[in-house]
């Protein structure tokens, strides 16, 4: 019987080996002085932020530690499990930190991400999607067969999808655990009504090579703010998840060989998810919040439960952009040397905070080109480095293969104390 409740492990030696990777021109964040050194050797030189070229994305050590502890404590108090969405960072070292803090597993979104996680030995993975690629299904089955300690769960939202999965897994050994995905009108994937979801559950339960493990979904595609209407939409959706689970249980479709999982919860409404799903007896509620570790200065700052009053210790932004004033071509306009290739912009443009040396700034970023930001009405001078607040960590990390970690982003002369490797 698979318990799937104990602590998830990662291959710590493989994560530690990242410190021995040789640094060179492939990593745009680094100064030329780092080339030829390993990450460990470069950090031993005690580099400071002023040595690094612009544009640049950095993390803040203190904010990371605070957010990690805050979310772990919140989940423990709420009685729910956390499988943070690893696609946010695609950084095995940060996954390890989340697992060390008590995370139940790691969530991912596609096959390529799963392979990264398995390369670093993550033992419990939740794919918040259907896996229909036949080669991918056979790969997952082979991973399960080769490693008795590996646990893998994915989704399905239609009997047709279940049929394709079963066909690809003919003759497989250990079954793949599957959650029935319930969606909603205007949402992403997921069965659109209870009857379609129940038919999917019956198909999973009847298919060799698959095991019905519970119910899952994503409420964040149905609401986009924390106003009364948005919260009501999320509440109603979560109640539909509970009702679906009740019908599956009444039909005795669960086989009793493992815990029943109820999974929802992005980074915006996990308080509602914990309250509604966490009240269902004889189940394990698994949140998938991923942005909490980095947080931001924009979208999540306004919508996260741990930023809008849902806990005693608000999350702190752990990422900043840094860009230099490269041109002052006309009065009231400065061009920064960082743009869409460097900073996120899908959930709001960067905001101006201060210079690298700590001087307060005003002004507004009004547009981004590929490699430039248009900064209006600012006192930033030619050659000065500007610190930017950023919105949406998921589309910040994917632009950087190596990210410096500062001891304190608010200090006058921050030191670089770590380098985080990403794999997108």
């Amino acid at each position: 019987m698979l318990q799937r409740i104990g602590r998830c492990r990662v291959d710590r030696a493989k994560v530690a080996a990242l410190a021995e990777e040789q640094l060179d021109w492939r990593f745009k964040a680094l100064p030329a002085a780092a080339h030829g050194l390993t990450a460990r050797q470069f950090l031993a030189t005690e580099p400071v932020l002023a040595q690094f070229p612009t544009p640049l994305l950095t993390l803040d050590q203190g904010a990371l530690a605070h957010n990690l502890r805050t979310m772990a404590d919140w989940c423990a108090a709420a009685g729910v499990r956390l499988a943070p969405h690893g696609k946010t960072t695609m950084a095995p070292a940060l996954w390890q930190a989340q697992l060390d803090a008590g995370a139940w597993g790691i969530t991912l979104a596609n096959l390529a991400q799963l392979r990264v996680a398995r390369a670093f030995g993550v033992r419990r993975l939740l794919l918040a999607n259907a896996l229909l690629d036949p080669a991918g299904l056979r790969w997952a089955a082979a991973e399960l067969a080769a490693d008795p300690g590996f646990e893998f769960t994915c989704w399905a939202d239609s009997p047709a999808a279940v049929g394709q999965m079963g066909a690809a897994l003919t003759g497989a050994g250990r079954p793949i655990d599957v959650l029935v995905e319930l969606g909603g009108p205007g949402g992403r994937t997921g069965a659109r009504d209870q009857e379609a979801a129940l038919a999917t559950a019956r198909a999973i339960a009847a298919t060799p090579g698959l095991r019905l493990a519970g119910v899952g979904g994503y409420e964040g595609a149905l609401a986009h703010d924390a106003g009364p209407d948005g919260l009501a939409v999320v509440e109603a959706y979560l109640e539909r998840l509970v009702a679906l689970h009740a019908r599956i249980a009444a039909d005795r479709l669960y086989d009793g060989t493992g815990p029943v999982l109820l999974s929802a919860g992005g980074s915006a409404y996990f308080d509602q998810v914990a309250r509604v799903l966490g009240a269902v007896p004889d189940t394990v509620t698994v949140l998938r919040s991923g942005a909490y570790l980095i947080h931001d200065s924009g979208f999540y700052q306004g919508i996260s439960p741990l930023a809008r009053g849902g806990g005693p210790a608000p999350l702190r932004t752990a990422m900043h952009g840094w860009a230099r004033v490269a041109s002052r071509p006309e009065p009231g306009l400065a061009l920064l040397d960082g743009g869409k290739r460097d900073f996120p912009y899908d959930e709001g443009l960067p905001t101006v905070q201060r210079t690298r040396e700590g001087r307060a700034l005003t002004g507004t970023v009004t547009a981004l080109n590929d490699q430039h930001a248009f900064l209006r009405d600012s006192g930033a001078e030619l050659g000065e480095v500007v610190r930017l607040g950023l919105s949406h960590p998921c589309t910040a990390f994917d632009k950087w293969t190596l990210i410096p970690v500062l001891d304190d982003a608010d200090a006058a002369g921050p030191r670089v104390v770590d380098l985080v490797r990403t794999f997108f």
Side-chain angles (χ1 to χ4, degrees):
M1 174 174 167
L2 296 178
Q3 292 299 319
R4 292 190 298 280
I5 298 299
R7 183 172 290 260
C8 177
R9 291 186 293 165
V10 64
D11 191 327
R12 306 178 73 85
K14 288 185 177 179
V15 175
L18 292 172
E20 305 307 319
E21 184 173 18
Q22 184 168 309
L23 306 177
D24 55 31
W25 53 267
R26 293 172 297 157
F27 305 110
K28 68 178 183 178
L30 295 176
H35 295 180
L37 302 177
T38 65
R40 177 181 54 77
Q41 290 169 335
F42 177 58
L43 291 171
T45 69
E46 300 184 351
V48 297
L49 176 63
Q51 295 174 242
F52 284 67
T54 54
L56 183 65
L57 179 76
T58 63
L59 302 177
D60 182 274
Q61 184 182 52
L64 288 172
H66 168 82
N67 294 346
L68 192 70
R69 182 175 60 252
T70 296
M71 189 64 173
D73 290 348
W74 190 93
C75 288
V80 296
R81 306 283 173 168
L82 176 64
H85 215 319
K87 72 173 176 62
T88 299
T89 66
M90 288 305 295
L94 296 181
W95 296 347
Q96 178 178 302
Q98 292 171 303
L99 294 171
D100 286 350
W104 176 86
I106 296 293
T107 297
L108 294 165
N110 61 35
L111 179 60
Q113 295 169 6
L114 290 174
R115 286 173 169 160
V116 172
R118 286 302 289 158
F120 285 90
V122 181
R123 303 295 291 279
R124 182 181 291 127
L125 295 174
L126 172 59
L127 181 69
N129 262 319
L131 180 59
L132 299 187
D133 178 82
L137 284 162
R138 289 191 290 270
W139 171 85
E143 291 289 308
L144 288 166
D147 183 355
F150 175 45
E151 299 168 16
F152 173 64
T153 304
C154 65
W155 292 2
D157 67 359
S158 68
V162 173
Q164 291 188 25
M165 295 171 72
L169 292 169
T170 300
R174 289 172 56 194
I176 287 179
D177 286 352
V178 183
L179 303 185
V180 179
E181 183 191 1
L182 181 67
R188 265 183 347 207
T189 54
R192 288 308 198 245
D193 57 59
Q194 297 280 325
E195 295 306 321
L198 191 60
T200 304
R202 291 179 178 133
I204 296 168
T207 300
L210 303 178
R211 191 188 79 89
L212 179 61
V215 174
Y218 177 52
E219 74 291 343
L222 304 176
H224 303 283
D225 61 64
D229 291 344
L231 297 180
V233 168
V234 170
E235 193 84 4
Y237 171 70
L238 295 173
E239 293 292 352
R240 291 198 295 274
L241 284 178
V242 172
L244 173 59
H245 158 71
R247 292 189 66 181
I248 292 172
D251 282 0
R252 298 183 180 181
L253 296 177
Y254 298 124
D255 67 5
T257 61
V260 175
L261 307 182
L262 302 181
S263 180
S267 296
Y269 308 105
F270 55 80
D271 54 341
Q272 288 178 273
V273 173
R275 175 173 49 79
V276 176
L277 300 191
V280 180
D282 302 319
T283 64
V284 176
T285 297
V286 179
L287 305 182
R288 304 190 307 277
S289 316
Y292 77 91
L293 181 60
I294 309 302
H295 199 46
D296 68 10
S297 298
F299 178 73
Y300 286 113
Q301 186 179 54
I303 201 170
S304 168
L306 294 181
R308 53 180 166 87
L315 298 174
R316 294 162 46 189
T317 183
M319 68 175 179
H320 297 93
W322 305 84
R324 189 180 304 273
V325 178
S327 176
R328 294 293 307 264
E330 61 187 64
L333 174 63
L335 275 298
L336 306 181
D337 65 357
K340 293 179 179 179
R341 299 290 180 91
D342 312 296
F343 306 129
Y345 56 92
D346 59 315
E347 292 288 357
L349 294 173
T351 55
V352 176
Q353 295 183 336
R354 42 162 274 193
T355 67
R356 187 175 60 194
E357 285 67 34
R359 184 169 69 86
L361 285 177
T362 58
T364 304
V365 174
T366 59
L368 293 182
N369 289 164
D370 281 358
Q371 310 290 179
H372 292 93
F374 288 72
L375 175 57
R376 302 277 180 180
D377 303 320
S378 171
E381 299 176 359
L382 187 68
E384 278 195 303
V385 174
V386 177
R387 191 179 85 178
L388 300 169
L390 305 176
S391 180
H392 202 193
C394 295
T395 51
F397 272 60
D398 63 344
K399 297 167 176 58
W400 298 87
T401 52
L402 199 68
I403 305 173
V405 180
L406 306 180
D407 61 342
D408 182 0
D410 291 327
R415 294 185 301 112
V416 175
V417 294
D418 203 356
L419 298 170
V420 170
R421 184 75 158 89
T422 69
F423 296 87
F424 283 93

